Amino acid sequence: MITNLFNLDEIRANYTFKGEYYDFTTLNNGHINNTYLLRFDNDGTEKCYILQQINTAVFKDPDVLMANYVGVTDFVRKKVKEAGGNPKRESIKVYYTNDGKPYYLDKDGRYWRVINYIINTTSYNFPDNTEICRKAGKAFGNFQKLLADYPAETLAETIPNFHNTVSRYADFEAAVKADKVGRASGVQKEIEFFVNRKKDCSVLLDLLEKGELPIRVTHNDTKLNNVLFDKKTGEGICVIDLDTVMPGLSLYDFGDSLRFAGNTAAEDEKDLSKVKFNMDFYRSYTEGYLSAAGDSLTETEVYYLPFSCKLMTLECGIRFLTDYLNGDVYFRISRPEHNLDRCRTQIKLIEEIENLYVEMLSVTQSIYSNLK
Ligand code: GN1
Ligand code: MG
């Protein structure tokens, strides 16, 4: 967890912002970094910047993180320009400190970065309708295509084994065994649920090892709220939160998106009767995604799209429970059993996906064959 206290004067003195500082607001949508919106009065018009405190408990090497981040954002900006798009609205730009660094290390040892704020956009924590899902699918599909020829060998693993579901499971087993804060006895049902699905954790990694799935440059944190939608056109114009762009499987991005966007309720909903997997959202997201990325995917990747939804939900459920067992040391929480509530919504979603699985397979295949 990271602290909210910071010295804005010190940070401001190390950057050249346009206009006169006005105020800031907190924009904490995610569970990891602290994010603020800084507002300036630039000769009567408002100029905003995004300031983020990098969570160094999670991203242990800020130099490596920012080298990846600058590499990817510069690459995307160039691609957007080449395609005739508007780089100011469709890509992220890192602002450098006055002494030429892509981050600022403050006197208390905290790391900060400043990026552009894209005006007249909105993001969703919940897809209000199928069109939002279709557009989100298209945005993430495009993002994947945009990075298809990024030199993957230059990307460092900002969090090693991030979506390695076998090692995530091993961490979970270790947390159960250690039972650091004495919570294991109260969550036996949840533990058993994951133990019964241990074999799912190795399915994609086995295929990767056999050479049946390709490594790609992937986003790795494809929550719906990581897409900015243009307020005027409604299109998903910019994919944000690029800390975890790393080599990975396309299936990680697809599955993680539906884990979040396919859920009819919030990730931390306490009333599990509200948590369902919405097949209409699945269909429209898949249509959007395949319309953008479909021709670059292999048939094996497409076949495993429904499975990826189950696997990424399983991974996230395991991570929430692991953090609960470890004493809530990773994800930001705002109530005592927050991680357990999050884990329970993931369990409910996995049950839903298991029941809908055959339908998901046939919906996916029919969308895919219509594209060909
Ligand atoms: C974290 O920061 P945020 O909310 O975008 C996490 C993701 C999880 C997600 C669950 C670096 O993402 O992996 O899927 O929470 N990011 C990191 O909501 O661990
Ligand atoms: Mg994130």
Side-chain angles (χ1 to χ4, degrees):
M1 219 136 320
I2 47 183
T3 161
N4 266 319
L5 300 171
F6 63 103
N7 185 346
L8 193 51
D9 291 340
E10 183 194 333
I11 296 167
R12 275 177 33 226
N14 281 281
Y15 282 91
T16 306
F17 293 110
K18 264 191 198 153
E20 203 173 312
Y21 173 69
Y22 187 69
D23 67 2
F24 80 89
T25 45
T26 306
L27 298 176
N28 278 344
N29 235 350
H31 305 335
I32 306 293
N33 294 323
N34 280 334
T35 306
Y36 306 92
L37 177 70
L38 306 187
R39 302 200 300 166
F40 294 78
D41 180 343
N42 188 29
D43 277 344
T45 53
E46 190 177 78
K47 172 82 187 158
C48 300
Y49 298 85
I50 298 281
L51 171 71
Q52 280 190 309
Q53 182 187 356
I54 299 167
N55 183 335
T56 45
V58 171
F59 298 105
K60 302 214 159 46
D61 188 337
D63 278 293
V64 162
L65 172 77
M66 287 312 291
N68 267 15
Y69 198 96
V70 167
V72 170
T73 50
D74 283 354
F75 187 87
V76 169
R77 203 162 52 252
K78 200 168 137 246
K79 285 264 165 158
V80 168
K81 262 189 222 158
E82 280 165 12
N86 179 352
K88 285 199 174 143
R89 293 187 63 66
E90 295 166 39
S91 63
I92 292 173
K93 180 183 166 168
V94 175
Y95 287 90
Y96 284 68
T97 57
N98 292 337
D99 58 359
K101 293 218 175 66
Y103 60 78
Y104 175 65
L105 172 59
D106 76 14
K107 294 201 176 79
D108 299 314
R110 286 174 293 211
Y111 286 81
W112 300 89
R113 72 169 164 238
V114 174
I115 58 173
N116 55 325
Y117 172 70
I118 307 176
I119 60 163
N120 294 326
T121 57
T122 188
S123 65
Y124 300 93
N125 280 315
F126 179 77
D128 297 333
N129 56 57
T130 51
E131 271 323 286
I132 292 172
C133 286
R134 188 184 318 280
K135 285 169 175 162
K138 206 171 143 201
F140 281 123
N142 272 331
F143 185 79
Q144 161 129 5
K145 267 193 122 169
L146 219 56
L147 290 178
D149 53 347
Y150 190 87
E153 67 286 356
T154 63
L155 274 178
E157 262 197 294
T158 49
I159 304 180
N161 291 323
F162 191 56
H163 282 311
N164 181 325
T165 36
V166 170
S167 91
R168 290 292 187 188
Y169 188 87
D171 292 346
F172 156 69
E173 269 183 333
V176 174
K177 205 162 161 220
D179 195 16
K180 273 190 202 142
V181 287
R183 287 175 170 174
S185 62
V187 291
Q188 282 306 308
K189 234 174 64 196
E190 288 77 9
I191 292 173
E192 199 184 320
F193 182 90
F194 294 125
V195 169
N196 290 338
R197 285 160 183 79
K198 177 178 181 178
K199 65 176 181 352
D200 287 325
C201 294
S202 53
V203 172
L204 297 187
L205 290 169
D206 287 348
L207 289 166
L208 175 66
E209 204 172 303
K210 284 192 255 161
E212 289 176 31
L213 286 173
I215 283 282
R216 301 183 185 278
V217 174
T218 46
H219 182 281
N220 295 308
D221 188 8
T222 47
K223 279 157 80 163
L224 179 67
N225 57 22
N226 282 332
V227 178
L228 297 182
F229 292 82
D230 190 304
K231 274 191 185 161
K232 226 192 241 162
T233 65
E235 292 300 325
I237 56 167
C238 189
V239 169
I240 59 169
D241 198 2
L242 308 180
D243 294 310
T244 48
V245 174
M246 288 181 275
L249 299 181
S250 62
L251 291 163
Y252 296 153
D253 280 359
F254 181 86
D256 200 30
S257 259
L258 268 310
R259 170 191 81 74
F260 194 83
N263 184 356
T264 53
E267 191 179 70
D268 58 357
E269 174 60 56
K270 276 170 161 300
D271 177 356
L272 293 179
S273 69
K274 293 187 182 157
V275 178
K276 300 234 161 59
F277 189 76
N278 186 324
M279 268 310 286
D280 292 333
F281 288 177
Y282 177 79
R283 188 177 296 105
S284 42
Y285 186 97
T286 307
E287 282 168 359
Y289 178 77
L290 288 180
S291 75
D295 56 0
S296 63
L297 299 177
T298 66
E299 285 191 4
T300 309
E301 284 175 299
V302 175
Y303 178 76
Y304 280 94
L305 292 176
F307 178 76
S308 75
C309 300
K310 177 180 172 185
L311 182 68
M312 297 318 288
T313 312
L314 187 62
E315 180 195 273
C316 214
I318 285 175
R319 290 177 65 194
F320 288 143
L321 189 56
T322 304
D323 198 32
Y324 179 74
L325 291 168
N326 286 340
D328 306 310
V329 290
Y330 186 89
F331 295 107
R332 183 188 294 130
I333 55 165
S334 45
R335 54 178 190 254
E337 306 234 300
H338 212 159
N339 273 318
L340 182 57
D341 292 339
R342 289 169 176 150
C343 160
R344 287 178 173 151
T345 62
Q346 305 305 291
I347 288 180
K348 176 73 191 296
L349 268 184
I350 294 164
E351 289 169 341
E352 288 270 315
I353 295 170
E354 286 174 346
N355 290 333
L356 290 164
Y357 199 62
V358 175
E359 194 183 342
M360 287 167 76
L361 277 173
S362 81
V363 163
T364 313
Q365 287 308 321
S366 99
I367 297 170
Y368 188 51
S369 50
N370 283 341
L371 281 179
K372 286 201 276 189

